[in-house]
Amino acid sequence: MIFLVRILLGWLMLASFSQAHASLKLPSGLNSTDRQEALKIVGFGTAAKILSDPYALGGYSGLEFGLSLESIPTEDLARLGNRLAVPQSDATIPKFTIGKGLYSGLDFFIHFIPYNQQNQLSQFGGVVRWSFFEASSLPLSTSLVVHMNTGDISNQMVTRTYGVDLMGGINVNEVALYAGIGVMQSFGSFVGGTLGVTDSSLLEKETVSTLHTVAGGTIRMNSFFVALQLDRYTQSVLSGKIGLRF
């Protein structure tokens, strides 16, 4: 288990140093099909993620702090519209998260990244988790997760993404596993004009939706924990998180 924790920590540190500040750029001349594809990549890819022990924070004193990194497959953005002159690597995005147990099985999480001139991206969002079933004789739990996220890329594309997931989890000693399925919808506004990205030079809006599946796990060491999660939308997004839970 210690070896696995070291691997996860190594991945988080390596991703943080190598790509966390990579620029996320959009090509110009995006038609409706291109805009919807960009929204699927960025809107879904940056959606809120639970990345936490499936047992409710509200069942404890209930406070959690964490730093997560999400590997977003943005390489295909460069092939849209007028294409980017320089190929774009997949982006790894850091997020700060705070979670609070509100009452019994009800938890609330917020996440944010401040606008950074280097990566030209800002985000904030939240998650509400209702753990409506916890078995008395087995370490099993079931929860309903409602989440939202809004993001801004270079003041050229603004996204609002919403989702609802049904999640199941199991806790055994210091290890917890969880999986879920749900639906998501993302709304995007694309700026036109000289510095815009639309083919019409006008402000354009698009909407996309998809089925969402998720699987992940956490390893706890006293108050410290490490989480790893795989989300599947139209593409797959791998996320990791380190944090403290009280």
Side-chain angles (χ1 to χ4, degrees):
M1 182 179 298
I2 297 298
F3 177 70
L4 180 58
V5 170
R6 288 176 178 174
I7 291 177
L8 294 179
L9 288 174
W11 176 77
L12 285 167
M13 293 177 64
L14 179 61
S16 178
F17 282 114
S18 62
Q19 294 184 8
H21 301 292
S23 177
L24 183 57
K25 296 181 179 179
L26 292 172
S28 61
L30 300 179
N31 60 30
S32 180
T33 300
D34 293 331
R35 294 192 297 268
Q36 291 182 21
E37 186 63 27
L39 190 54
K40 290 177 182 178
I41 294 171
V42 180
F44 292 151
T46 60
K49 299 168 181 64
I50 192 67
L51 275 169
S52 183
D53 192 306
Y55 192 82
L57 278 167
Y60 298 106
S61 56
L63 191 61
E64 178 180 303
F65 299 95
L67 170 63
S68 65
L69 289 173
E70 303 175 4
S71 180
I72 313 298
T74 56
E75 183 178 358
D76 288 344
L77 285 176
R79 303 186 180 95
L80 302 178
N82 294 333
R83 299 174 176 260
L84 294 177
V86 179
Q88 178 171 250
S89 301
D90 293 345
T92 301
I93 299 172
K95 290 182 181 179
F96 297 100
T97 64
I98 302 172
K100 182 70 176 72
L102 301 180
Y103 176 76
S104 185
L106 188 63
D107 299 335
F108 178 65
F109 299 83
I110 61 172
H111 65 264
F112 62 92
I113 60 174
Y115 183 83
N116 185 294
Q117 185 65 35
Q118 192 170 6
N119 58 31
Q120 303 183 61
L121 174 70
S122 64
Q123 283 189 58
F124 69 91
V127 176
V128 176
R129 179 175 64 183
W130 174 38
S131 298
F132 59 86
F133 173 77
E134 291 178 353
S136 57
S137 57
L138 294 172
L140 301 176
S141 61
T142 307
S143 59
L144 186 67
V145 178
V146 180
H147 53 89
M148 66 81 61
N149 183 75
T150 182
D152 185 324
I153 302 175
S154 305
N155 295 318
Q156 296 176 326
M157 174 184 179
V158 177
T159 65
R160 290 179 291 112
T161 304
Y162 305 90
V164 179
D165 298 308
L166 182 64
M167 308 277 288
I170 180 171
N171 292 66
V172 179
N173 298 323
E174 295 83 17
V175 178
L177 301 174
Y178 58 89
I181 187 170
V183 292
M184 295 188 62
Q185 192 167 36
S186 188
F187 303 85
S189 297
F190 297 80
V191 175
T194 305
L195 300 178
V197 294
T198 64
D199 61 338
S200 65
S201 296
L202 301 174
L203 175 68
E204 301 283 359
K205 297 183 179 181
E206 304 289 348
T207 303
V208 293
S209 58
T210 189
L211 183 71
H212 172 224
T213 56
V214 55
T218 66
I219 299 174
R220 302 183 306 278
M221 293 169 288
N222 299 317
S223 297
F224 175 79
F225 74 90
V226 178
L228 189 67
Q229 180 173 311
L230 180 65
D231 291 84
R232 177 65 185 176
Y233 314 101
T234 53
Q235 295 180 305
S236 296
V237 175
L238 181 64
S239 306
K241 181 179 179 181
I242 54 176
L244 295 171
R245 192 180 230 236
F246 305 98

